[in-house]
Amino acid sequence: MNLFQKISVCLEFMRYKNCIMAGVSSVAGALIAASLLNYSMGADLFYNVYHMVFIFSMVFLATGAGNMLNDYYDINIDRVNKPNRPLPSGRISMKTAVYLAIVCFVAAFFIAFLIHPVSGIIGFINISILIWYAKTLKRTILLGNLSIAYLTGSTFLFGASFFGVDGIVVMLPLALLAFLATAAREIVKDIEDIKGDAEDGAVTFPIKYGEKPASYLAAAFGFLAVILSPLPYFMGIMTKTYFIVLILGIFCFLYAIYVLLGKKNYAMSSKFFKIAMFMALAAFIAGLFEFF
């Protein structure tokens, strides 16, 4: 492979699209927190812009490292469920996978402390959880799902940590919605992956208790997200625009639950839970403005 092909494979191995989405989410968290805290990003534009670059870079690298390490430990599962990924297909060696993950984790760790001490603490916690998840938590009933849900929600908290503890406090509602949507989606993905997980000896919630109870648990997380999602509007944190845009997100949540329980289409359900989460993010951004 030439250099371009090697870089391309490495980015694929990191699952760069997910890394970009996580990085953008963290920057969005910072910008939403800035608005809620009445902080002017234009007051010191250069300082704020390069810190937004730090935030994006840290989350991009940590997410990519977590994905790579997860693939390293899940090589046997992926040979069954996802044989075309770089590691099971042999396009990247096991040794290279470990080196890449270590480099990205170390870089992410140092970048986190360049942003804010609180960011450094969150970064340390999240990197520790990413490593723990790949080695152990993924094969632990429900804890693996909840750890990924936390990590997804914490991308918004990490961005908001640019403003210290105050930023984290104002970003908690969005982080909670992301947590609930991701928890539902992770359980649905476990239902999809029962065959490969079982062959690798993993004991996930669907393997232990069956598809039907797992579907009900995922639906419960989804319903809880629907019930709690209007609260930022009724608490006066968000404008009416938030509630209007949120309606689309609520529809996505409900449709994801419908295809999960009614159609047993787990792939479609997983897709709509993900869409619902990003609709909630769009609602938070729109809710900073009063258009109606």
Side-chain angles (χ1 to χ4, degrees):
M1 289 189 292
N2 59 39
L3 180 60
F4 177 79
Q5 289 172 322
K6 289 180 180 179
I7 293 173
S8 178
V9 171
C10 287
L11 289 173
E12 181 186 348
F13 186 34
M14 294 176 73
R15 285 175 244 168
Y16 73 94
K17 292 180 181 178
N18 290 342
C19 297
I20 290 173
M21 286 190 289
V24 169
S25 296
S26 63
V27 172
L31 296 177
I32 293 171
S35 179
L36 293 175
L37 294 171
N38 296 315
Y39 177 86
S40 175
M41 295 294 286
D44 192 344
L45 188 59
F46 179 75
Y47 174 85
N48 291 321
V49 167
Y50 80 69
H51 273 82
M52 293 305 105
V53 172
F54 282 164
I55 289 170
F56 178 89
S57 300
M58 186 280 173
V59 175
F60 183 97
L61 290 170
T63 302
N67 288 337
M68 291 187 288
L69 196 62
N70 189 57
D71 282 3
Y72 175 83
Y73 283 106
D74 283 355
I75 181 66
N76 293 326
I77 293 176
D78 287 344
R79 282 180 179 139
V80 176
N81 291 334
K82 289 145 187 167
N84 293 324
R85 280 185 173 175
L87 202 57
S89 67
R91 287 178 289 151
I92 282 184
S93 69
M94 297 287 280
K95 185 177 180 180
T96 301
V98 173
Y99 287 154
L100 283 172
I102 291 173
V103 169
C104 289
F105 273 137
V106 171
F109 176 77
F110 282 108
I111 291 172
F113 277 97
L114 293 175
I115 300 167
H116 192 282
V118 175
S119 305
I121 293 170
I122 294 177
F124 174 76
I125 293 171
N126 288 7
I127 288 172
S128 300
I129 291 175
L130 282 166
I131 296 171
W132 190 17
Y133 172 83
K135 294 181 65 176
T136 305
L137 287 179
K138 180 178 173 62
R139 293 162 179 79
T140 305
I141 296 176
L142 207 54
L143 286 178
N145 305 118
L146 296 180
S147 63
I148 289 298
Y150 158 76
L151 288 167
T152 301
S154 73
T155 58
F156 301 106
L157 296 181
F158 181 79
S161 69
F162 173 56
F163 303 100
V165 176
D166 290 342
I168 292 176
V169 171
V170 298
M171 196 49 51
L172 283 175
L174 178 54
L176 177 60
L177 291 181
F179 171 87
L180 293 171
T182 305
R185 183 169 178 263
E186 285 297 309
I187 294 171
V188 173
K189 285 166 63 180
D190 275 353
I191 300 174
E192 287 186 85
D193 292 342
I194 282 179
K195 181 180 177 182
D197 287 343
E199 289 187 11
D200 191 57
V203 184
T204 61
F205 191 92
I207 290 174
K208 179 74 173 180
Y209 299 105
E211 291 185 24
K212 193 171 184 179
S215 297
Y216 285 143
L217 181 60
F221 278 115
F223 276 125
L224 190 57
V226 169
I227 293 169
L228 295 178
S229 58
L231 286 182
Y233 168 71
F234 291 116
M235 292 170 63
I237 299 174
M238 294 279 111
T239 67
K240 189 185 297 182
T241 310
Y242 166 81
F243 190 75
I244 292 172
V245 176
L246 182 66
I247 292 173
L248 294 174
I250 290 175
F251 171 79
C252 290
F253 273 119
L254 294 176
Y255 187 74
I257 294 169
Y258 166 70
V259 296
L260 170 63
L261 299 179
K263 301 291 186 181
K264 299 188 186 302
N265 187 334
Y266 304 125
M268 182 64 72
S269 177
S270 176
K271 178 181 178 180
F272 271 88
F273 273 124
K274 189 172 186 178
I275 293 173
M277 184 178 69
F278 283 101
M279 288 305 303
L281 172 59
F284 266 82
I285 295 173
L288 299 175
F289 308 96
E290 187 66 82
F291 293 127
F292 301 94

